[in-house]
Every structure is written in structure tokens, then in C-alpha cells.
């Protein structure tokens, strides 16, 4: 399951100009009315011009020219509105970093809530769900992008859906799907990361530089490390009213102080972050021998940290198969993906390596 996050440009109280621009671009009712008025005026001119021509053949020649002008005018109106929407800079909107931070925190709080809910957790112990498939649990992954979208009813006379259409919706979908490859809970596009506050950016991890299927844009992708195993979210539960109050009083220091956000990153140590960042530098530079060495070391640090924390001790036994399973469960997904990707190329960067690669799957 997934959430697609698209930033919709709505009411901007601080700046009247931005309000007018957003209203014109996104809520284009007035523009539609103007086009309809223009259409009626041109149609009226068409009838008047036609009636004034005495020769019927002249009327036949003149009508298509006027109609062609009408079509051209309407096409230009639609093209201009769409061009304005695509060129509208989200970074220019007042309060956009707070809006973006809160959107990402909403995803992360949903993740914490899933693993705090006793009814959902009970499903993992229901034999009817786990029969034949082994251990089972409820989880979610999230993909996010920022940009414009067309909202409305789409379909035919047989089936209509209320939906959003946009390359940014598609990008959010690609981010969500890529979570499975990198073994992470949430993936953010570069467009989202650029809109976030500096405090929020400091907690994100750059995982790769890619293009996705259906797009030629090369972009960095980011995650907020979130792991439920070993995180006791029950210690930090709050009522709905308390949660609403905290959301309204948002301050950027929440990224440093919030107990849920700290708990889900409990497995990330300073040593790990240093090794991973060094490995990524070698990876981007094409020095894959050193990149493999550093990323493998980073992965070992994360596994060792999980063992030292002790939250697996109650589950562990001495059988080799069981120990390998624990190592797999506590390993770093992005490290495993990047190591596998480099080894699939023989551990050497391709001659045309430019620091990025395409993600071919949807």
C-alpha cells in the first residue's frame, strides 16, 4: 500500500499576488468563463459578418477563417494556463518548507502509528493470515514528489474515477516502488528534499542518483531512515487532540526532539553515517573498489549495532541459519542494493559512468 503526495497550490494568505496566481492557474474557473464569453463574442461576430456578406460563397469562405481564429485563441489560452502551472516555483511560496516538512512528518507518524496500534499488531498473530506464508505483519511504504497536478473526474460513461493526473503523481509512484529495491520505508524525490527546512534535510540520507522509467530527469533520491524493530513507539503515544495540537504548533526542531522520529532512527549511528557517506562519494566518482569496501563496512556497522542494542536477544538462538536470518533482517537495505548493483557490473564502474543510473522497473 502507498500514499502519493502531490503538493497542491491553494490559499496563500501572506502574498496577494501569489493567491491570484495560484487561483488563476489551479482554480481556473474564471479563465473558463472568460474563454466562454470570448467564444460567444466570436460566434456573434461570425453570424454578423456572415449576414453582411451578400454572396453566399463569400459566407462559406469567411466562416472557416473566423472559426479557425476561435480555435487558435482557445488553444493558446489552455497552453498558457498549463505553461504557467508548470513554471510556478514552489520554492517562491511563503511557508512552503513548513508545509513540506509537515507532509513528510505525516508519512512518518503514520508509520509509527501502524506499529503502535494493538489491533494491527494482533493481525500478525492471527493464524488465518499467516497460514502457509509464515510470519506476517502490517506495514506501509511511501513515495513523495512535489509539483502540479490536474484534479478531477476522469473516465468514460461506464466508469469515472476522481483522481490526479501529472508527471509528478507518476514520480511519486516510482518513488514508492523504488522503496522495495532499496529496502526503505520512504523515498523522497529531489524536488521534495529541496523544499524542506535545513533541520529536516540534515536527517535525510542520499541513497542514489537515478532516472526513473518514463522520465529523463537525473535526480538524487533520499530517505528518512525508519525501522520499527527495536523501536518502542508505545512509550510515546498521544491522544488525537494532543497530536493535532503538536501539528499546529510545528517547529523545525521537531526533527531533533520528537521521540517517534528519534525512535525509528535508533539503528543509525554516527560511525555508520560516516562510512556510508564516504562510500557514496567513491560510488559517484566511479571508484567502485573503495565504494564496495566502505559500503560493506557500513552495513557491518549497522548489523553490529543491532546486535549490541540487544533487542534481538530474546529471538536469537545459536543455529547458523537463524543467525544469518538475523543478519539479513538487520542489514541496511540501501547498502545491500548498491553493493549488489556494483557487483552486477563486475565491481567496476562502466566506462561511460556519469554518477547515475536508470531504475528500469516501475
Amino acid at each position: 500500500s502507498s500514499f502519493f503526495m502531490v503538493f497542491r497550490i491553494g490559499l496563500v494568505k501572506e502574498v496577494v499576488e501569489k493567491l491570484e496566481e495560484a487561483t488563476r492557474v489551479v482554480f481556473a474557473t474564471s479563465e473558463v468563463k472568460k474563454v466562454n464569453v470570448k467564444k460567444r463574442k466570436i460566434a456573434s461576430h461570425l453570424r454578423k459578418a456572415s449576414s453582411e456578406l451578400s454572396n453566399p460563397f463569400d459566407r462559406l469562405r469567411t466562416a472557416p477563417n473566423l472559426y479557425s481564429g476561435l480555435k487558435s485563441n482557445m488553444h493558446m489560452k489552455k497552453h498558457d494556463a498549463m505553461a504557467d502551472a508548470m513554471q510556478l516555483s514552489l520554492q517562491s511560496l511563503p511557508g512552503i518548507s513548513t508545509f513540506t516538512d509537515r507532509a513528510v512528518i505525516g508519512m512518518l507518524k503514520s508509520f509509527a502509528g501502524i506499529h503502535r496500534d494493538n489491533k494491527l499488531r494482533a493481525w500478525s498473530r492471527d493464524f488465518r493470515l499467516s497460514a502457509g506464508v509464515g510470519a506476517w505483519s502490517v506495514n506501509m511504504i511511501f513515495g513523495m514528489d512535489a509539483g502540479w497536478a490536474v484534479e478531477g473526474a476522469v473516465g468514460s460513461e461506464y466508469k469515472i474515477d476522481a483522481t490526479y493526473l501529472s508527471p509528478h503523481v507518476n514520480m511519486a509512484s516510482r518513488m514508492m516502488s523504488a522503496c522495495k529495491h532499496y529496502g526503505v520505508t520512504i523515498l523522497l524525490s529531489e524536488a521534495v528534499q529541496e523544499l524542506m527546512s535545513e533541520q529536516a534535510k540534515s536527517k535525510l540520507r542520499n541513497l542514489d542518483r537515478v532516472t526513473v522509467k518514463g522520465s529523463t530527469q537525473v535526480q538524487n533520491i533520499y530517505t528518512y531512515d525508519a525501522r520499527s524493530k527495536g523501536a518502542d513507539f508505545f512509550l510515546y503515544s498521544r491522544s488525537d487532540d494532543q497530536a493535532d495540537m503538536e501539528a499546529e504548533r510545528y517547529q523545525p526542531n521537531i526533527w531533533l526532539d520528537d521521540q517517534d522520529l528519534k525512535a525509528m532512527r535508533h539503528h543509525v549511528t554516527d560511525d555508520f553515517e560516516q562510512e556510508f557517506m564516504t562510500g557514496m562519494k567513491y560510488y559517484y566518482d566511479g571508484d567502485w573498489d573503495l565504494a564496495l569496501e566502505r559500503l560493506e563496512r557500513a552495513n557491518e556497522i549497522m548489523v553490529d549495532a543491532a546486535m549490541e542494542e540487544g533487542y534481538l536477544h530474546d529471538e536469537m538462538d545459536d543455529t547458523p541459519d537463524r543467525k544469518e536470518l538475523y543478519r539479513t533482517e538487520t542489514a541496511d537495505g540501501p547498502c545491500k542494493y548498491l553493493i549488489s548493483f556494483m557487483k552486477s557490473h563486475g565491481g567496476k564502474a562502466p566506462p561511460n559512468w556519469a554518477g547515475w543510473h536508470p531504475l528500469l522497473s516501475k
Side-chain angles (χ1 to χ4, degrees):
S1 182
S2 66
F3 285 143
F4 297 158
M5 178 55 65
V6 178
F7 297 135
R8 296 169 55 199
I9 311 306
L11 182 61
V12 182
K13 296 180 181 179
E14 295 89 344
V15 183
V16 174
E17 292 80 8
K18 291 299 179 183
L19 171 60
E20 293 173 348
E21 184 176 13
T23 303
R24 176 172 54 82
V25 173
V26 181
F27 305 104
T29 305
S30 60
E31 290 296 324
V32 172
K33 289 181 179 178
K34 290 178 183 178
V35 171
N36 289 337
V37 170
K38 186 70 172 178
K39 180 179 177 180
R40 288 196 295 271
K41 287 182 178 179
I42 293 178
S44 175
H45 289 315
L46 172 63
R47 290 192 297 271
K48 183 177 179 181
S50 180
S51 64
E52 291 176 352
L53 293 173
S54 58
N55 188 331
F57 294 102
D58 289 339
R59 290 200 293 270
L60 291 174
R61 285 194 297 269
T62 304
N65 291 333
L66 291 173
Y67 181 65
S68 176
L70 170 63
K71 289 177 64 178
S72 176
N73 182 272
M74 293 179 65
H75 176 75
M76 289 178 64
K77 287 282 186 182
K78 292 179 181 178
H79 180 270
D80 290 345
M82 236 10 228
D84 288 345
M86 292 187 218
Q87 294 171 7
L88 181 62
S89 172
L90 296 180
Q91 290 178 315
S92 69
L93 297 176
I96 191 63
S97 64
T98 296
F99 182 82
T100 310
D101 284 6
R102 291 176 63 181
V104 176
I105 288 175
M107 303 293 102
L108 297 174
K109 287 291 185 176
S110 297
F111 170 78
I114 289 169
H115 296 283
R116 184 158 43 218
D117 190 286
N118 279 320
K119 292 182 180 179
L120 290 179
R121 289 166 62 90
W123 289 359
S124 64
R125 301 187 294 272
D126 192 321
F127 75 93
R128 293 170 299 177
L129 296 173
S130 60
V133 297
W136 186 88
S137 63
V138 178
N139 209 343
M140 293 188 76
I141 55 177
F142 307 90
M144 296 185 71
D145 189 41
W148 60 270
V150 176
E151 177 190 29
V154 178
S156 67
E157 59 183 306
Y158 301 104
K159 184 177 184 295
I160 296 178
D161 290 323
T163 187
Y164 296 92
L165 297 177
S166 162
H168 302 288
V169 175
N170 294 339
M171 183 64 72
S173 176
R174 300 292 187 263
M175 292 294 104
M176 183 273 294
S177 297
C179 285
K180 304 170 190 176
H181 301 296
Y182 291 93
V184 295
T185 297
I186 184 170
L187 267 182
L188 312 177
S189 68
E190 190 170 318
V192 175
Q193 186 266 352
E194 289 176 345
L195 297 176
M196 299 180 74
S197 66
E198 292 304 318
Q199 291 91 331
K201 289 179 182 179
S202 69
K203 295 299 180 181
L204 301 181
R205 179 158 55 124
N206 174 219
L207 301 186
D208 211 345
R209 191 177 297 136
V210 300
T211 61
V212 300
K213 195 165 185 178
S215 172
T216 59
Q217 177 187 357
V218 178
Q219 63 172 320
N220 290 295
I221 55 176
Y222 299 84
T223 192
Y224 184 93
D225 289 290
R227 181 176 288 182
S228 61
K229 204 168 189 63
D232 194 348
F233 294 117
F234 290 97
L235 293 175
Y236 319 117
S237 61
R238 52 184 62 78
S239 67
D240 291 343
D241 290 340
Q242 288 175 318
D244 290 341
M245 188 179 300
E246 289 181 8
E248 291 300 323
R249 296 176 178 175
Y250 170 83
Q251 294 293 331
N253 61 7
I254 191 175
W255 295 97
L256 307 176
D257 302 332
D258 185 83
Q259 296 300 320
D260 280 341
L261 300 184
K262 291 166 69 175
M264 63 183 70
R265 286 190 87 245
H266 68 93
H267 59 293
V268 180
T269 64
D270 292 340
D271 289 343
F272 168 81
E273 288 186 302
Q274 185 60 46
E275 285 292 332
F276 184 83
M277 286 190 295
T278 305
M280 290 302 294
K281 181 181 183 305
Y282 289 132
Y283 166 72
Y284 287 138
D285 291 344
D287 195 345
W288 283 10
D289 288 333
L290 289 175
L292 284 167
E293 179 183 328
R294 290 305 186 107
L295 291 177
E296 286 172 348
R297 173 60 184 151
N299 191 47
E300 287 297 319
I301 291 174
M302 182 163 286
V303 172
D304 292 344
M307 300 298 182
E308 290 173 6
E309 281 192 28
Y311 60 82
L312 292 175
H313 287 176
D314 294 339
E315 305 175 14
M316 290 184 66
D317 57 40
D318 295 329
T319 61
D321 291 344
R322 203 68 175 155
K323 287 184 176 180
E324 185 59 32
L325 176 61
Y326 296 138
R327 291 187 65 84
T328 301
E329 289 181 349
T330 56
D332 181 56
C335 282
K336 290 172 59 180
Y337 175 84
L338 292 169
I339 290 169
S340 175
F341 172 73
M342 286 186 280
K343 288 185 175 179
S344 70
H345 289 78
K348 300 292 183 184
N352 60 343
W353 174 251
W356 61 274
H357 68 97
L359 286 177
L360 299 179
S361 60
K362 290 188 177 181

